[in-house]
Amino acid sequence: MRRRNYTVAGITLLPLVLIPGLTAAGGDETKTTRFTEHLIKDGYTYSFGIAAADLNGDGHIDLTSADALPHNRLYWFENDGKGNFRQHLIEKDYPERLERHAIGDVNGDGKPDVVIIENLRGDVLWYRNSGHPAKEDGWERLTITKGTIPGAYDVALADLDGDGLLDVAASTWTLSNKFVWFQNPGDPEKNQPWKMRVIEENMAETRTIRAGDFNGDGKPDLLGTAVAAGQVVWYENPGKAEQPWKKHVIDAKSPQPIHGHPVDMDRDGDLDVVMALGMSAAPGTPETRQVAWYENVGKLGDGTQWKKHIIADNLDHAFEAVAGDLNGDGHVDVAATTWAADSRVVWFENLGDPCRNWKMHELKKNWCRANQIIIADFNGDQRPDLAAGAERGANEVRWWRNEGSP
């Protein structure tokens, strides 16, 4: 039996100001979807990594958030169903850099667990959800690997070998420069060793790792970026653990691709890719600071041909892009963060033709070093909301309630 995978995301709390969408192109704003901004938590020492899932089984989407050194914590925020959150601890003291993480049922007991990387030494950990996550002993820390992938950076969960268990894929930043995956041993609660398998080495500054079926063969493939190498790639799942993964290049010409996600942008039944590019590119440098999407070409694309479409061509320090229908018009929109002292959170409205028509709306500006952004319905009104974190200079996590159109 296949084990259920959970999507990852978020964080939230205090109601603040109503911010109508600000468009880069001007025009009538009276029917624009509106968002209200809410603080979840401030006072972090290093907020880098958020995720969302129903952790306690009450039907409401909760939030997780990492807070690296010196706090060394992993929080979860219990949602009351209306977007009000109560803070709990998953981890209260794991030294150094707990950062990006993913949520899924690692041991197959029907409860969502948390898998997280430690960015400096290169540990990958998972926290077993007891079913009573709000209790002091509600989470048990177990080890997937310790010190084997220095620079461990991003993580994704999927059943990569077809045995019905969630495996773990990881990128490794600048300290290891590779993509790897760890095979679930079958009884991970006994701390059995997870076998590490290398997908590709010598890829300079690996960042994004995400799972999705790009060729439609029913097996989860992996999306990756290498910032310094300037590559957006996907790796074809061979179907057997011991076999090598075939590399397919989506884009090797655009500088500094950093964070993106699989999505069927054009609603043709195959997976495309949305991506932020150019985080460290100099402001004003043309064609380097972009949000774009890559079309999986073909009536049902098989991942062999890709066409790049620009959503925004001048978004300084673009860091991460995610996609979802934010205004309920049936078209896939995009939200993004930028990473700098004057960072922004923005969303791009798909006006009906994703190959050319996009309208930018600004949700927040001058929010220092915004990083991960996610989409989830945090208040149960069937509208997708947004959550994002910002690290040093802001040190907080916020969410934006989707209020719909006036």
Side-chain angles (χ1 to χ4, degrees):
M1 181 179 69
R2 291 290 178 101
R3 306 289 166 84
R4 184 180 176 188
N5 199 355
Y6 292 78
T7 52
V8 181
I11 309 288
T12 96
L13 244 192
L14 305 173
L16 295 177
V17 240
L18 183 67
I19 306 177
L22 303 177
T23 176
D28 183 7
E29 290 295 311
T30 59
K31 294 185 179 180
T32 297
T33 294
R34 297 162 68 89
F35 290 84
T36 52
E37 180 181 318
H38 306 261
L39 177 68
I40 295 164
K41 178 178 171 60
D42 58 10
Y44 287 79
T45 52
Y46 190 79
S47 168
F48 200 90
I50 57 177
D54 179 7
L55 296 178
N56 58 358
D58 64 357
H60 309 312
I61 299 296
D62 307 304
L63 299 142
T64 55
S65 174
D67 189 5
L69 74 169
H71 283 171
N72 305 324
R73 292 173 181 168
L74 176 60
Y75 308 105
W76 79 276
F77 295 87
E78 183 179 0
N79 187 349
D80 69 355
K82 299 178 181 179
N84 302 306
F85 290 83
R86 180 182 178 188
Q87 179 181 307
H88 303 279
L89 281 175
I90 296 174
E91 172 61 69
K92 61 182 179 180
D93 189 16
Y94 193 86
E96 301 294 350
R97 300 180 187 171
L98 292 178
E99 295 187 355
R100 290 174 75 103
H101 50 280
I103 299 174
D105 183 4
V106 173
N107 59 350
D109 65 355
K111 296 183 285 290
D113 309 302
V114 178
V115 177
I116 190 167
I117 60 87
E118 190 285 316
N119 174 246
L120 184 61
R121 296 188 305 269
D123 304 342
V124 182
L125 312 169
W126 75 279
Y127 289 87
R128 186 183 69 84
N129 184 343
S130 68
H132 304 283
K135 290 187 175 181
E136 187 173 347
D137 59 351
W139 298 86
E140 178 186 5
R141 183 207 306 152
L142 297 111
T143 301
I144 292 173
T145 192
K146 194 170 182 65
T148 56
I149 49 170
Y153 180 82
D154 199 9
V155 65
L157 307 182
D159 179 8
L160 299 177
D161 56 3
D163 65 355
L165 300 168
L166 284 182
D167 306 300
V168 175
S171 62
T172 59
W173 194 43
T174 59
L175 299 187
S176 291
N177 296 307
K178 60 187 175 184
F179 294 110
V180 300
W181 72 280
F182 297 90
Q183 189 173 7
N184 191 321
D187 196 352
E189 289 185 63
K190 294 184 177 180
N191 256 342
Q192 294 177 330
W194 293 61
K195 184 173 180 59
M196 185 179 81
R197 300 183 184 275
V198 176
I199 299 168
E200 184 173 12
E201 297 182 285
N202 302 315
M203 282 281 282
E205 195 178 340
T206 57
R207 293 268 193 162
T208 287
I209 188 77
R210 286 292 178 267
D213 182 4
F214 293 104
N215 59 356
D217 66 355
K219 298 188 290 289
D221 308 304
L222 292 170
L223 170 71
T225 61
V227 176
Q231 293 186 36
V232 182
V233 299
W234 72 276
Y235 296 96
E236 185 175 347
N237 188 335
K240 294 185 178 180
E242 64 277 5
Q243 292 181 346
W245 292 62
K246 183 178 179 180
K247 178 180 179 178
H248 299 266
V249 176
I250 296 174
D251 185 0
K253 297 180 180 179
S254 303
Q256 300 181 357
I258 182 162
H259 281 295
H261 297 263
V263 60
D264 184 2
M265 184 68 73
D266 50 9
R267 299 290 178 95
D268 65 352
D270 56 39
L271 279 183
D272 310 301
V273 172
V274 64
M275 186 63 59
L277 305 101
M279 180 186 80
S280 300
T285 308
E287 299 182 356
T288 59
R289 302 153 300 111
Q290 300 175 332
V291 174
W293 71 279
Y294 297 93
E295 180 184 356
N296 191 346
V297 177
K299 188 172 182 180
L300 274 180
D302 61 4
T304 58
Q305 297 182 59
W306 297 86
K307 184 176 181 180
K308 182 180 178 181
H309 301 279
I310 302 299
I311 296 171
D313 202 22
N314 59 350
L315 190 68
D316 289 344
H317 312 293
F319 183 82
E320 184 152 16
V322 294
D325 182 4
L326 297 178
N327 58 0
D329 65 356
H331 307 308
V332 180
D333 308 302
V334 171
T337 53
T338 69
W339 188 91
D342 57 351
S343 290
R344 293 189 287 170
V345 180
V346 298
W347 74 279
F348 298 94
E349 183 180 356
N350 180 344
L351 299 179
D353 182 356
C355 297
R356 56 178 61 88
N357 294 326
W358 295 87
K359 185 177 184 180
M360 189 183 82
H361 306 271
E362 187 174 80
L363 293 178
K364 191 170 184 64
K365 60 183 179 180
N366 297 321
W367 196 37
C368 191
R369 292 181 176 84
N371 47 71
Q372 190 167 8
I373 185 168
I374 59 173
I375 298 175
D377 179 8
F378 298 124
N379 61 338
D381 64 356
Q382 307 304 308
R383 298 190 188 109
D385 308 304
L386 298 169
E391 50 162 292
R392 292 181 179 129
N395 296 316
E396 58 187 20
V397 173
R398 294 178 178 267
W399 76 285
W400 288 263
R401 184 196 307 268
N402 187 334
E403 305 288 358
S405 300

